[in-house]
Amino acid sequence: MKKRNVLAMAGISLLAVGVLAACSGSKSGSSKESVNFTYVYQTDPETLDYTLSAKTSTHDITSNVIDGLLENDQYGNLVPSIAKDWTVSKDGLTYTYKLRKDAKWYTSEGEEYATVKAQDFVTGLKHAIDKKSEARYMVENSVKGLAAYIKGETKDFSTVGIKAVDDYTLQFTLEHPESFWNSKLTMGILFPVNEEFLNSKGDKFGQATDPTSLLYNGPFLLKGLTSKSSIEYAKNTNYWDKDNVHVDTVKLAFFDGQDQESLIRGFKDGSYSKARVYPRSSNYASVEKDYKDNIIFSPQGSSSFVVFTNIDRQSYNHTSKTTDAQKSSTKKAILNKDFRQALNFAYDRKAYSDQVNGEEGALKSVRNLYVPPTFVQVGDKSFGDVVKEDVVKYGDEWKDVDFSDATNGLYNPEKAKAEFAKAKAALQAEGVEFPIHLDIPAIQTNTLGVKRVQSMKQTIEKSLGTDNVVVDIQMLSQEDVQNITYYAPNAAALDWDITDQLGWTPDFQDPSSYLEILHPETGDNTKSFLGFEAGSGNQAAKQIGMDEFGKLLDEAVAEKTDVNKRYEKYAAAQAWLTDSSILLPSSSNGGGAGVTKVVPFTAPFGWTGNKSDGSVLYKYIKLQDKPVTKKEYEEAQKKWAKEKEESNKKAQEELAKHVK
């Protein structure tokens, strides 16, 4: 899999309250009382090695304890972190970073170990590449000479375009200009590692449940991590930017998703600093009575959750299929584009979201494009507008589809029936047996997750008829579901036909961050999202036209100078992906209801990277004594939006000062 981007649906969608974070304790600015954040988490990390992992379960932890060169401020600007300043050459190929001299490495006990130096960033990248980081795709074709090193064409890492000029000067040389290069610097693969400590730990560096297996240079120290039990942090009192850390401790309890009402109970009795609330829960009337003026729906974020299709399923340990004919029939059906389009139009995203967010919030998290329609601007058009212009070229079925966020634009039972009729005629000619049986896994303890899958089953079967399609829900333990989805080691281990368990968050501010991971030759996540190994010449991939998709991506990535043309080419690739319906966009992060005590919009903001609102971060957040009211939130949002516009404009204007 790839980088932090890979998200487990359960943890993100059911717990997150969007860009809001929260603390409990005293008022902001108090120096007399301890300020403690308490809440829950849902997914244990496989590793704490932030240079190797591509999963949120790792980076939600390590981004709180490790700093890279830059970070996000509350308006989404990239601002200094370990790097106090930076310059870029006029040709856009050489980036030079001046490091602060007061950033130190500390042990988990808070003892100073060493100063953070430029060589630590070199060590970090070399370690990541040598250990085959899940995130290497992000840099292998960007940093000069890195691809050659990865391919074994040279064994000398000094030929790679990263250099410690001196202790406090780091230089990157790129293969080609990347206007979005700096947005990559908040990702774990580009974080520093102390070489002496790394050598002392060897293979035990970054062990999942051992806080002593890391050094820390960030706002917090990891004090404890017990699998399926708890995660604990303490403020790093020697941190170079400690004045911007307003939380003294963080304590998270493991939550299996079974008792959603426990979250608001914990908030009521002071055990939790925030709480996700669920309008469809049995106790919501009392929640609304107590917190009517405090329930806030957060904005949509950049994470895209998708129903993926397994185009070449190999494992059948969890299935309702009873014959080889059923297995063969399902495979043939999934490889038929009209069949996949029928599923796409048959799936009611609003009803799916309603199971968690209720009628009021049902549309607030719905997403109809894998790449969010407003992720980038293409001249005076949004990315989604350009995709819409392109996708109608594939067929009339796309003419009146609304791809905007927070709309149920794809759901159309009549179109679903029409596409299925075409599919059925073709499949019957191939000897396919009906109904087609689609296995989908669900975590049996995750009550709301099960309800969502049940809703998906109901709307698909209602639209297409159970004599044509049956969705078979496989009720499994969280561990079993994660082993065949989130933590599956290879394509062969994906034991499902369709799944809603995974999502993706972009690493950097370019559409390639979403799309290149699905490249049929080089995309690491084809194995986890679509059921085939990239570069393997998979016949199923060829049959559905992935080669054409790859060519569209190659054309886009080749455009290095004209940003609008680059985005247009990526929009063409997204249009192909939409028409293919090999993945069915579902929802985003954010858009959920919750209550919190944090002062709104004090948390870091951004659509990309590990130092943005896509991660769970505790630096910068401030609190108030009482739960935030709707009025407070709305007023803060207006103020923030105005300040953000001004701040972003100023940041853009100042970029020219960095060109030397």
Side-chain angles (χ1 to χ4, degrees):
M1 292 186 180
K2 277 186 176 151
K3 84 191 184 19
R4 80 128 185 180
N5 313 38
V6 184
L7 308 173
M9 177 59 140
I12 296 295
S13 66
L14 295 187
L15 297 183
V17 189
V19 297
L20 301 179
C23 312
S24 64
S26 63
K27 290 184 178 180
S28 174
S30 172
S31 60
K32 296 181 180 181
E33 297 182 48
S34 177
V35 180
N36 307 306
F37 175 92
T38 53
Y39 197 42
V40 299
Y41 78 101
Q42 265 194 289
T43 306
D44 288 319
E46 284 183 307
T47 178
L48 293 178
D49 191 336
Y50 45 88
T51 71
L52 303 185
S53 179
K55 301 178 179 67
T56 56
S57 53
T58 291
H59 293 287
D60 280 350
I61 296 171
T62 58
S63 294
N64 284 292
V65 299
I66 308 293
D67 279 351
L69 292 167
L70 304 176
E71 64 185 33
N72 286 82
D73 67 10
Q74 70 186 104
Y75 304 114
N77 302 308
L78 288 167
V79 296
S81 186
I82 300 298
K84 63 181 182 179
D85 198 8
W86 63 276
T87 59
V88 58
S89 59
K90 292 181 180 180
D91 62 6
L93 295 178
T94 303
Y95 285 77
T96 304
Y97 301 89
K98 293 292 184 180
L99 309 190
R100 59 178 64 256
K101 296 182 179 181
D102 55 349
K104 309 290 185 180
W105 288 111
Y106 299 93
T107 69
S108 60
E109 297 302 315
E111 298 175 352
E112 185 176 329
Y113 187 93
T115 299
V116 180
K117 296 182 178 181
Q119 182 59 41
D120 297 339
F121 290 87
V122 180
T123 298
L125 183 58
K126 185 178 186 299
H127 169 68
I129 300 304
D130 289 347
K131 294 294 186 178
K132 296 180 170 52
S133 169
E134 295 173 344
R136 62 182 179 176
Y137 89 99
M138 189 176 66
V139 293
E140 63 183 328
N141 295 313
S142 298
V143 180
K144 188 174 181 177
L146 187 55
Y149 181 82
I150 290 173
K151 293 174 184 176
E153 295 172 2
T154 177
K155 295 183 179 179
D156 184 2
F157 195 76
S158 68
T159 62
V160 176
I162 181 173
K163 180 182 179 182
V165 179
D166 56 46
D167 283 350
Y168 300 103
T169 307
L170 180 71
Q171 191 172 85
F172 282 97
T173 303
L174 307 185
E175 289 281 8
H176 46 75
E178 286 187 357
S179 61
F180 47 88
W181 168 254
N182 272 347
S183 69
K184 294 183 176 183
L185 299 180
T186 66
M187 300 304 301
I189 191 172
L190 294 172
F191 282 6
V193 174
N194 179 277
E195 185 174 13
E196 181 183 348
F197 184 82
L198 176 66
N199 290 337
S200 73
K201 292 296 182 180
D203 291 339
K204 294 183 178 180
F205 177 78
Q207 288 194 317
T209 58
D210 184 6
T212 68
S213 66
L214 286 182
L215 287 180
Y216 305 90
N217 70 353
F220 295 93
L221 307 173
L222 183 61
K223 304 301 292 184
L225 200 165
T226 303
S227 179
K228 290 184 172 55
S229 178
S230 63
I231 300 174
E232 296 185 21
Y233 309 83
K235 179 178 177 178
N236 182 358
T237 56
N238 296 308
Y239 179 51
W240 64 269
D241 196 24
K242 63 183 178 182
D243 289 346
N244 280 315
V245 184
H246 311 291
V247 178
D248 295 307
T249 67
V250 176
K251 296 182 179 180
L252 308 176
F254 182 75
F255 176 63
D256 66 5
Q258 191 165 5
D259 183 9
Q260 284 85 18
E261 295 176 3
S262 66
L263 302 179
I264 190 63
R265 290 198 304 270
F267 184 78
K268 276 186 180 182
D269 66 21
S271 300
Y272 296 150
S273 307
K274 66 175 181 179
R276 185 77 155 84
V277 299
Y278 304 97
R280 290 300 184 195
S281 64
S282 60
N283 74 331
Y284 190 69
S286 66
V287 174
E288 209 172 20
K289 181 180 178 182
D290 293 338
Y291 296 103
K292 183 178 181 180
D293 296 327
N294 307 104
I295 297 172
I296 299 163
F297 284 91
S298 60
Q300 288 187 267
S302 62
S303 301
S304 289
F305 293 98
V306 175
V307 176
F308 292 100
T309 60
N310 188 348
I311 66 169
D312 193 17
R313 183 176 180 181
Q314 303 298 313
S315 297
Y316 292 92
N317 296 316
H318 306 289
T319 183
S320 296
K321 298 178 180 63
T322 57
T323 66
D324 289 342
Q326 288 181 346
K327 296 176 184 177
S328 174
S329 293
T330 299
K331 275 194 173 185
K332 290 178 180 178
I334 288 176
L335 292 175
N336 182 287
K337 184 173 77 169
D338 292 324
F339 178 81
R340 298 192 304 270
Q341 287 186 351
L343 293 180
N344 210 354
F345 292 127
Y347 170 29
D348 186 345
R349 281 86 171 165
K350 181 181 179 182
Y352 178 87
S353 176
D354 184 288
Q355 307 307 310
V356 175
N357 292 330
E359 179 66 26
E360 181 184 358
L363 287 174
K364 293 183 183 296
S365 66
V366 173
R367 174 153 291 158
N368 297 292
L369 285 177
Y370 174 52
V371 181
T374 58
F375 184 64
V376 293
Q377 280 291 117
V378 189
D380 59 352
K381 299 177 182 177
S382 71
F383 185 80
D385 290 336
V386 182
V387 172
K388 185 177 178 73
E389 292 172 0
D390 287 341
V391 75
V392 296
K393 300 173 185 176
Y394 287 100
D396 291 343
E397 63 268 28
W398 302 110
K399 277 186 177 180
D400 58 350
V401 175
D402 186 353
F403 294 110
S404 304
D405 276 344
T407 68
N408 205 17
L410 286 166
Y411 178 56
N412 191 314
E414 294 308 310
K415 285 185 181 180
K417 290 180 174 66
E419 296 305 318
F420 185 83
K422 292 189 288 183
K424 189 169 186 177
L427 292 170
Q428 283 180 324
E430 295 181 44
V432 165
E433 292 183 1
F434 290 87
I436 302 299
H437 284 268
L438 297 170
D439 292 316
I440 183 169
I443 299 172
Q444 58 192 8
T445 57
N446 191 329
T447 308
L448 294 180
V450 171
K451 287 182 177 179
R452 286 187 306 197
V453 173
Q454 290 172 334
S455 170
M456 186 192 308
K457 169 183 171 69
Q458 182 180 15
T459 58
I460 290 175
E461 292 181 351
K462 182 179 179 180
S463 295
L464 302 179
T466 53
D467 55 332
N468 292 315
V469 178
V470 174
V471 178
D472 294 313
I473 302 173
Q474 305 301 313
M475 302 288 282
L476 307 172
S477 68
Q478 179 175 350
E479 183 178 11
D480 282 343
V481 170
Q482 290 184 340
N483 285 341
I484 62 174
T485 57
Y486 193 58
Y487 290 132
N490 49 49
L494 304 185
D495 196 0
W496 43 267
D497 296 312
I498 59 174
T499 184
D500 70 337
Q501 291 294 317
L502 299 172
W504 185 256
T505 295
D507 302 311
F508 49 90
Q509 198 65 36
D510 188 73
S512 62
S513 189
Y514 288 94
L515 296 167
E516 292 290 340
I517 65 170
L518 301 176
H519 195 294
E521 295 299 320
T522 59
D524 284 355
N525 278 23
T526 62
K527 66 184 180 184
S528 51
F529 289 171
L530 297 173
F532 73 95
E533 305 287 342
S536 65
N538 183 273
Q539 289 304 306
K542 291 182 180 296
Q543 188 172 334
I544 65 172
M546 288 297 292
D547 288 347
E548 180 182 351
F549 180 60
K551 289 178 182 177
L552 292 170
L553 292 177
D554 292 343
E555 290 175 7
V557 77
E559 181 53 68
K560 307 295 187 185
T561 56
D562 191 319
V563 173
N564 283 333
K565 287 184 178 179
R566 180 181 177 90
Y567 292 167
E568 287 173 355
K569 293 179 183 295
Y570 275 118
Q574 171 65 77
W576 183 95
L577 196 63
T578 295
D579 179 65
S580 77
S581 295
I582 55 175
L583 52 80
L584 317 180
S586 180
S587 58
S588 69
N589 64 322
V595 292
T596 184
K597 292 183 179 179
V598 82
V599 179
F601 303 101
T602 55
F605 174 78
W607 272 33
T608 66
N610 290 149
K611 297 287 188 174
S612 69
D613 68 308
S615 297
V616 180
L617 301 174
Y618 308 110
K619 183 179 177 179
Y620 294 116
I621 59 175
K622 297 179 180 180
L623 62 108
Q624 57 189 51
D625 288 337
K626 297 180 180 180
V628 176
T629 65
K630 290 180 182 178
K631 183 179 179 181
E632 288 174 335
Y633 182 84
E634 290 168 358
E635 290 176 350
Q637 188 173 37
K638 290 178 183 178
K639 182 175 181 291
W640 174 82
K642 182 181 179 181
E643 292 174 349
K644 180 179 182 298
E645 183 178 1
E646 295 170 352
S647 180
N648 293 166
K649 182 180 179 181
K650 183 181 179 182
Q652 283 297 312
E653 292 171 348
E654 291 179 347
L655 284 177
K657 298 178 181 178
H658 294 277
V659 180
K660 304 291 185 179

